[in-house]
Amino acid sequence: MSKFKSSKTKGTPAISTSSLPDIIFMLLFFFMVTTQMRETSLRVKMKLPMATEIQKLEKKSLVSYIYIGPPINQALYGTESRIQLNDQYARVSDVPEFVATEREARNEADRNLMTTALKIHKDTKMGVVTDVKQELRKASAFRINYSTLKGAEKHSN
Amino acid sequence: MRRAAPEINAGSMADIAFLLLIFFLVTTTMDVDSGITRRLPPPVDNPESVKIKERNVMNVLINSKNMLLVNGMPGDINTLKDIAKDFMLPHYPDNPSYPEVEEASNHLIGNYYASKGVISLKNDRGTSYDIYIQVQNELARAFNEIKEELAMDRFGTKLANLSKEKLEAINDAVPVRISEAEPENIGGGN
């Protein structure tokens, strides 16, 4: 009969799904590589205060962090709030050096856009915070951001 | 003759990979840092040299027991925003119990009155950071409400809908003037 016999009865061939795992794995690796892990391990307790009038920190690469809070290992370091710079406890007098190092690590053009994010435990006393702020002023790191969580605080009184 | 090993069914491989993917998506937190942004003043050698008229200043003190003193009266965090807003709103004609006002204009906003008021915030070394942030937040709320009203009045829309230029104009018209005193012990703290 006809030379070109159409095989109507066959239907559409099944799409091969054997490469699906590879695609998914690629996605997986993409996410694993791009999501940033926290680079400093916290050595102070961190319970941020709440606020409503907050702004997002725009450029993450221009932000340096100062952590202040009660030490995690209280048996060893006591309960008084400590300052943490990078990965270790520091004193107030170490702040200018920290600011200088952070500034060195950035582009010259971006240096005056740098922000210091103060991550401070809510039970900290203002004394140490004021000291740090004074040091930042002296080191001319004027842009600061008090890190807070979004939400309304319940006013007890 | 050895039997050939049966082929392993790889059909569920995708599901396993999906599970892994979803696990990673859920556990990695894209924590967006947010907070109250402030600008520290440059250090001054002689803090006494800055003099502002008394009627232009609203004093907010927080002591080591986390109690507020607003303009010499015991204050409360719940009423602070309204007091600050009432103080900072430009009052015209000139009213001696409110800060001075001056006329200003901007090509986007037009003519407006600008208050010369300053909120002076002072805290003790023993004040808790939590209260300090709450006070900063309430003061910021006061300023934001004034800005919001100005935007509504001049542009007929909310701040969030404004273009960048208009937002800048509003920010210029209502500067966030919170002055923090040079630190000193105002009693009670260590």
Side-chain angles (χ1 to χ4, degrees), chain A residues 131-150:
Chain A
D131 289 343
V132 168
K133 270 162 65 185
Q134 289 298 93
E135 288 300 326
L136 287 176
R137 276 177 70 183
K138 279 187 218 150
S140 31
F142 296 130
R143 290 161 66 96
I144 57 166
N145 180 288
Y146 303 104
S147 285
T148 57
L149 301 174
K150 190 170 176 58

Side-chain angles (χ1 to χ4, degrees), chain A residues 31 52-53 55 57 60 65 119 122 124-127 130-131 133 137 142 144-146 148 155 157, chain B residues 25 31 33-38 40-42 78 125-127 129-130 132 134 137 141 144 180 182-183:
Chain A
F31 271 96
T52 52
E53 313 298 311
Q55 288 145 310
L57 276 177
K60 273 267 181 92
Y65 295 93
K119 294 200 164 220
K122 56 194 280 189
T124 305
K125 299 276 179 244
M126 279 306 287
T130 312
D131 289 343
K133 270 162 65 185
R137 276 177 70 183
F142 296 130
I144 57 166
N145 180 288
Y146 303 104
T148 57
H155 297 146
N157 44 351
Chain B
L25 277 179
D31 55 335
D33 279 311
S34 53
I36 300 172
T37 305
R38 285 281 169 270
L40 294 172
N78 294 312
R125 291 187 67 85
T127 306
Y129 178 68
D130 193 20
Y132 173 78
Q134 280 183 48
N137 189 48
R141 238 174 81 200
N144 281 351
E180 286 189 64
E182 295 292 319

Side-chain angles (χ1 to χ4, degrees), chain A residues 13-29:
Chain A
I15 297 167
S16 164
T17 55
S18 58
S19 54
L20 197 58
D22 304 320
I23 296 164
I24 305 300
F25 265 119
M26 253 165 54
L27 264 176
L28 178 65
F29 287 139

